[in-house]
């Protein structure tokens, strides 16, 4: 993994690409059983007859997998602490999809009240193996200034 | 469960309250191992020393649990299909927390192109047992018109 990134190491327009994860039908169903137990996330035949036209991952599964890719691929010093953001799912994640997150730093705001940190906004596009976005998120994360040696 | 809700059954200002779920330290760590493997979500001692000051659930875990409560507690006909939304985590979910989602319908927009459906925006506040919000989300979901008999 690359060196940990401090606030000073980041700039607007900077991009990162994470590793990838392959999504299986079993993983889609396992997540759905725990967190989103609806027929189109649990059962191929029921999913065929639904709006999705086939088994589709819960959007929250796509979000969780994207977070996993970000944690492994964006080495912010002190960890990746999100304060929230906006998430949309332009198309579903399907069994066999290989997901990668493309990150762009869109805004950096040093904290006015706490001189040791700042807020970094990132635009994160989770794309499948065809380059199509399955999730677009705008996530605010905390970044720390490099400690004085 | 209540009768399934169609677009005609919903109105701005309408509220719903879901059931509840208790969050254990084991569940927090299990989710984190799969989707957000950072020390403050995995280990009590490391979490003590972090910004969180103690074990805290991944925000995406809170989001997934909130979805589970919504699926069980908001019986939209045809299922709960979210198109996305904005999510913030005002405070972390802690081991032992009992979460409940308070839902309010904030906007209803019938589709212009498809007469069988509309978009419903909901404000969903996930609160702990002290009534404190751990997540506020503004989720857009698809609702269907009641089929003509």
């Amino acid at each position: 993994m690359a060196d940990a990134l401090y606030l000073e190491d980041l700039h607007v327009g900077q991009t990162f690409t994470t590793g990838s994860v392959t999504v299986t039908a079993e993983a889609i169903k396992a997540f759905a059983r725990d967190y989103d137990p609806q027929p189109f996330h649990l059962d191929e035949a029921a999913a065929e007859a639904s709006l999705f036209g086939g088994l589709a991952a819960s959007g929250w599964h796509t979000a969780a997998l994207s977070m996993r890719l970000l944690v492994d691929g964006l080495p912010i010093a002190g960890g990746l602490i999100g304060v929230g953001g906006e998430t949309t799912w332009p198309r579903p994640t399907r069994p066999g999809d290989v997901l990668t997150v493309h990150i762009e730093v869109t805004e950096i705001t040093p904290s006015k009240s706490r001189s040791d940190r700042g807020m970094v906004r990132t635009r994160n596009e989770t794309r499948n193996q065809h380059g199509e976005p399955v999730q677009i998120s705008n996530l605010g994360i905390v970044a720390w200034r490099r400690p004085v040696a």
Side-chain angles (χ1 to χ4, degrees), chain A:
Chain A
M1 177 173 291
D3 283 347
L5 297 167
Y6 288 92
L7 192 59
E8 294 88 341
D9 301 319
L10 300 167
H11 62 265
V12 171
Q14 198 169 6
T15 60
F16 303 87
T17 303
T18 68
S20 297
V21 62
T22 300
V23 187
T24 64
E26 288 62 42
I28 288 175
K29 294 176 191 179
F31 185 96
R33 277 192 294 274
D34 284 344
Y35 301 112
D36 195 347
Q38 302 196 84
F40 31 80
H41 302 319
L42 288 169
D43 180 81
E44 277 86 354
E48 284 289 344
S50 78
L51 183 70
F52 291 108
L55 195 69
S58 169
W60 301 105
H61 190 194
T62 301
L65 289 169
S66 298
M67 183 62 186
R68 174 62 191 254
L69 291 170
L70 288 173
V71 166
D72 293 340
L74 184 62
I76 300 286
L80 211 60
I81 300 179
V83 298
E86 203 176 330
T87 304
T88 57
W89 299 293
R91 63 176 58 67
T93 297
R94 302 289 190 180
D97 274 3
V98 181
L99 305 183
T100 308
V101 184
H102 297 258
I103 305 160
E104 183 178 353
V105 175
T106 56
E107 200 181 322
I108 299 178
T109 314
S111 172
K112 287 196 177 102
S113 55
R114 289 162 167 157
S115 61
D116 62 345
R117 69 190 73 175
M119 180 64 60
V120 177
R121 295 224 69 103
T122 55
R123 183 181 192 279
N124 306 300
E125 204 168 299
T126 306
R127 297 183 198 153
N128 62 24
Q129 67 279 21
H130 309 298
E132 302 163 333
V134 294
Q135 177 176 294
I136 298 170
S137 88
N138 169 342
L139 187 67
I141 55 184
V142 180
W144 308 89
R145 281 191 195 282
R146 193 181 301 276
V148 180

